[in-house]
Every structure is written in structure tokens, then in C-alpha cells.
Amino acid sequence: MLEYWRNRWGGWNTSGETEFHNLQELRHSASLATKVFIQRDYSEGTVCRFQTKFPSELDSRIERTLLEDTVKTLNTYYAEAEKMGGQSYMEGCLACATAYIIFLCMETHYEKVLKKISGYIQEQNEKIYAPRGLLLTDPIERGMRVMEVSVFEDRGSSGSSLSSSATSGGSAQR
Amino acid sequence: MSAVMITRKVRKWESSGKEHFLLRWTRNDGPQKGVFYLTLFLIVGTCLTVLSIRVSRPIAASTLFIWAMITKNVIGACPYLAIHLSPAIPVFAIVLFLFVMAMLLRTSFSDPGVLPRALPEEATFIEMEIEAANGNVPAGQRPPPRIRNVQINGQIVKLKYCYTCKIFRPPRASHCSICDNCVDRFDHHCPWVGNCVGKRNYRYFYLFTLSLSLLTIYIFTFDIVHVVLRSVDSGFVKTLQDTPGTYPFVLVCFFTLWSVVGLTGFHTYLISLNQTTNEDIKGSWSGKNRVQNPYSHKNILKNCCEVLCGPAYPSVLDRRGLMRDDLPITSSAAVPAIRSNPVPQTTKTTAPLIPNEHTPDDTKPSIADTTNPHAEKSSPSPKEEKQPTLYKALHSPSLQSTVWTYEKTCF
């Protein structure tokens, strides 16, 4: 319950701090080169979807399929969160009947999915993106408008690959 | 070199909204001084409580009005109706009143769906995309307006660029000049509630108006019933003498009823069509030129379910978070070259649609600019010029311009 309140009232700091930690590890041997933004895809309306088009700036950094898979998985997560089905209607009606006081005690379906998304992005960062000198930022921290991909360059060597110390810093500290 | 991320002890929110409100005050000057003083006590008591916690004045005004209406009518008629008809009548009125207050406070204190302003890197990225799309504008000519066309369910929807927030607004979003924020699914700014009504708090607003209509009708009806029953018992003239204070209030209730019920009816109509007040006023989906609402499910029940029982969207504002310096992008050399491939899902305009479509920059200076005199673009040192990518000290205040301007606590 306390954890719930901390997450509730502390905003999205937890994932931000985790990324900060990852970032610190990367920074030992890398510097931020640029940021690439994956925009929202509004072709299906106002539901949260990101474009699966591969940004050309990342051509040399990561395989197309990996990034596209990540974006597609995130899109399915968001679709699940915003799904208009029996569960969301039940939740809405129950909340209305209790004058929305019940939201103080329980997590909404959307919030549960957002937690899953946060965990997924962190896992992807540790396994796929950090070894390639990239870092995905959770879209919720950018107002659900863009997915930010930070591109790091290795400061020491002339190549663009990160040293292995970066991968060791992937332990989560939530 | 040890990497240090300096966390600036600055909260992310700041308020820059201007508040406009209407203060409606109703008074009862009848000879029933006892009840009047009780009402006055309740009003003053509420006033002091409410204003002492620095709640915005429109909410206080709405609250006080509802309190005044309730206490005057309910306290006068309560005992009589409880004895002669049923005690459930005042109990239901109180329950309904509590629901109204809960919805009012929820609407006022909820984040309506504010879109945070773009961080500097994002703003730069968007600017570059715009420049790439516009190509070379000959000197002396105005650049074309910043609009993106998106196709949604077979309709072309124009996404406008917000010069204040430095973003292309999502569909149905609009910039509220009173709150000075872009709000998702912007409906309107309600002066009574002192807040914008948007995606996140529209259902609370609707339930507030609906329950207030029901409450007003309920109280009005039972006031009439009370007067009628008393007249049956003791004659109409004596009743008029016994309860003179009720009548001005009944009159006020009658006129209020029409406006509140009218508003509820209007919003019911909008919900059934899945439109916002903003779209209705602008006539976006009025049917001219075969323009239809792409967001409507063409089914009234589905539209109502989506608006009222849809998922509870989270707030994307991190009000209690601390401003944290992010790693800045340093020199322009590091910024990626102009993207070669245009984004396929959006088509950029090639010709200006309406001359001078773009809005001028907000005259209000950014709060961040005034608070931080040290904001400057970092420049590469000679030693680091060999590498195109640079790492700058984290005390460079790159986040100065990203100040959320929304202060209310959010649910």
C-alpha cells in the first residue's frame, strides 16, 4: 500500500531514477551524441501508437527488426491499456458508483499496464539497447508524445561501440 | 572524469494561468432571520475554510452557491417533509449533494490532460523536420504555416503547431490561453470550476452537471411539495407568511435549473456524437464539404461508453518531481543531418493553406527565461573539436524552458 502511494504521489520518478542509474553507467565511457524521436502514429485516431518507421539516424546502430519489434510490442501494450471492453466499462461504472473514491484504493488497469511497459522498456534497454550505445526513454516521461532514443558515442575509442562496462551497469534499482 | 548529475531542487510545476471567474451570489433577506443566520454561518464558514486553503475562487463561488441553495431549502423544508412524508427524502438530498461536491472537487483538482511542453532537443528536432519539409524559402516570403496532415479513419485532420509548447498538437488537443497549456481532447475552460475540461476530467464534469441538475430539480420539486403540503394543512396565505424566505430562493432555483439542465442536455448531445465543445463551436465536423467526425463510432451507446466509461488515463505531469538536468545535445555538428525520407504516415503541406495561418509567439515571456540568466548554448572546446560528439558539464541549464505551468494537484 505504501509502495502504491509512493508511486502514486511520487509521479514517475522511479523509472526516471532507474534510467538515471543506467545513464550513469553509460557515461563512464560514452557521451551523448544525439537524440532521435519516434513520433506518434495518429492514423488510427487518438489511441496511443508509435510509428514503426525506422529512423535513418539509427541505421548504423541497431538492426531494423529489433527496434520495430520493440515499438510493435509497446503499441500492443498501449492498445491493451486503452482497450474499450468489458473490464474498462466495469471499472468505470464501479468507480462512478463510489464517486471515484475507489481510485484512491486501487490501481486502474491503465496504470498496471504502464508499470508493465516501464519494466519492458528497462529490460529492452539492458538487453538490446545499452550494448549498442542507445537508450530508450519511456514515452510517459515525454508526455506520451514521442519515444526518445538517446544515441551515445564512445568517447575513448574512434569506433562507435561501447565498452563492456556499460552492460554491467544494467542492474535495476527500483 | 566522474559523471555527476546535479539534481536541481526545483519543482517542475509553476503556475502561470490567469484566473477568470464569475461570482454569483444569492441572498435571502426574508424575516426568517434564524435560518438566514444559519445559512450565513454556513456560507461564511465554508468561505473561510475554502479560501484559507487557497482554493481557486471559482470553486469557492460554485461551492458557496450550492451550499447556499442547499442549506436554505433543505433546512427549511427538511423537518416538515421528514415527518409528513418520509425521512428518506432529506437523506437522499444529502447523498446527492455530497456526490455533487465530490464531482465538483474532482473536476477542479484533476489534471485535464495537460500536454507537457517539449524539451529543447525535441523542439529542435521538430524545427529541423519543418525546415526540411519547407525547403528553401526565398527571402522576403513568409514561410508556410506549420501544419501536419494526418489521415484518421478516412478523414484528413490537420495538426497545428503550438508556438508556446513547441509541439505539433495531437488531434483534438488545443491550447488553453487561460491555463497556458495544451490540453488533450480539449473541451472548454470552465470558469465555474476554475479548470480546463479535457480528456481526463470530462466525465467528472459531465457527472457534476448531471448530478447538479438532478439535485436542483429534486430540491425545487420538494420545495413545491413542502409549500403545497403546508397549504393543505394550514391554508395558502398562512403558508406564505410562515415561509417567506423560501420564495426568492425558489425563483433562483427555477432559473438556475434551466441553465444547468440546458448545459447537461448540451453535453449529453455532444457525448452521443463523440464531439467536444471546441469542435462544436468551430464546426469542425458540421458536415460541410462531406466532413464527418472520424472519432465517432456511429453508435450512440458506444460513444457514450467510450467517453464516460473509458479507461482512466494517467496524468503525464510529474508535479512533485524535481527538475533534473538531462544530458544536453551540444554542438550543431552533432545534430543529425536532415532526414532523407519523409515520414510516410503524415503528408506535409507543400503550399500555405491560409496566408498568415500561424499564430504569433506568445507575448508572455517564458518564466524559465527570466529565472535563469545563465542559460546559454554550450560551445565545443578546442580539444574536443576532433570528435563530433561532445559531452558537456551537467550544470548547463538545458531544461530551463521546460517548465510545466500547471499547479493543481492531480488525481
Side-chain angles (χ1 to χ4, degrees), chain B residues 224-293:
Chain B
I224 304 287
V225 164
H226 167 233
V227 169
V228 163
L229 284 178
R230 265 194 200 257
S231 308
V232 162
D233 277 347
S234 41
F236 188 61
V237 177
K238 190 163 185 306
T239 308
L240 285 177
Q241 289 168 346
D242 281 342
T243 60
T246 316
Y247 305 105
F249 239 103
V250 169
L251 210 61
V252 167
C253 234
F254 180 72
F255 289 113
T256 312
L257 204 135
W258 286 114
S259 51
V260 177
V261 170
L263 187 67
T264 310
F266 174 64
H267 279 284
T268 311
Y269 162 75
L270 288 181
I271 286 174
S272 63
L273 294 178
N274 202 339
Q275 270 193 29
T276 63
T277 308
N278 198 34
E279 287 165 355
D280 188 67
I281 288 172
K282 287 185 179 167
S284 311
W285 318 120
S286 59
K288 277 190 293 186
N289 305 326
R290 294 192 184 176
V291 170
Q292 283 190 338
N293 188 358

Side-chain angles (χ1 to χ4, degrees), chain B residues 99-224:
Chain B
F99 187 78
V100 167
M101 290 309 299
M103 289 299 107
L104 168 64
L105 293 174
R106 186 103 199 178
T107 312
S108 292
F109 291 102
S110 282
D111 168 18
V114 169
L115 296 168
R117 291 178 181 182
L119 293 174
E121 293 89 9
E122 192 187 332
T124 318
F125 189 83
I126 294 175
E127 293 268 347
M128 274 176 23
E129 275 196 327
I130 294 169
E131 277 166 31
N134 289 345
N136 286 324
V137 179
Q141 265 193 27
R142 233 179 260 129
R146 297 181 172 191
I147 289 182
R148 265 191 195 153
N149 282 333
V150 179
Q151 193 169 51
I152 300 176
N153 289 335
Q155 284 283 333
I156 301 283
V157 175
K158 293 185 184 42
L159 305 187
K160 285 190 182 165
Y161 182 76
C162 180
Y163 283 85
T164 315
C165 304
K166 300 208 184 338
I167 56 168
F168 275 98
R169 284 182 215 132
R172 308 190 100 174
S174 188
H175 191 92
C176 175
S177 51
I178 301 170
C179 302
D180 198 27
N181 283 309
C182 273
V183 177
D184 209 354
R185 202 187 184 278
F186 179 74
D187 195 84
H188 67 285
H189 183 96
C190 181
W192 281 94
V193 156
N195 196 6
C196 275
V197 177
K199 182 170 78 172
R200 290 190 76 243
N201 66 352
Y202 186 63
R203 70 192 69 180
Y204 310 135
F205 174 76
Y206 179 72
L207 287 173
F208 166 62
T209 55
L210 183 67
S211 53
L212 186 60
S213 311
L214 290 174
L215 184 65
T216 316
I217 293 169
Y218 189 85
I219 286 182
F220 183 70
T221 313
F222 280 101
D223 255 349
I224 304 287

Side-chain angles (χ1 to χ4, degrees), chain A residues 45-138:
Chain A
T46 49
V47 290
C48 187
R49 260 182 80 87
F50 288 94
Q51 292 176 1
T52 48
K53 177 191 166 295
F54 190 77
S56 51
E57 294 88 350
L58 299 177
D59 254 332
S60 56
R61 303 302 297 250
I62 190 169
E63 295 81 11
R64 240 166 225 268
T65 48
L66 285 173
L67 184 64
E68 280 175 7
D69 279 343
T70 309
V71 176
K72 279 183 187 153
T73 314
L74 285 173
N75 284 342
T76 51
Y77 273 124
Y78 284 120
E80 183 201 329
E82 296 191 6
K83 195 173 69 162
M84 305 281 177
Q87 194 192 359
S88 75
Y89 295 154
M90 281 296 296
E91 198 179 56
C93 292
L94 178 69
C96 179
T98 59
Y100 297 96
I101 293 170
I102 202 164
F103 282 159
L104 295 172
C105 310
M106 73 173 216
E107 237 179 10
T108 63
H109 175 63
Y110 208 114
E111 282 169 354
K112 286 182 195 151
V113 177
L114 283 175
K115 280 218 164 99
K116 273 201 273 181
I117 288 171
S118 197
Y120 174 73
I121 287 179
Q122 201 199 348
E123 179 211 327
Q124 290 282 295
N125 271 334
E126 284 167 20
K127 287 189 190 157
I128 300 176
Y129 294 93
R132 291 169 172 77
L134 302 172
L135 189 70
L136 274 187
T137 307
D138 196 334

Side-chain angles (χ1 to χ4, degrees), chain B residues 26-46:
Chain B
T26 54
R27 290 175 62 207
N28 179 11
D29 281 318
Q32 269 194 322
K33 288 201 177 114
V35 185
F36 172 70
Y37 286 140
L38 178 65
T39 312
L40 201 61
F41 166 74
L42 284 165
I43 289 171
V44 170
T46 314

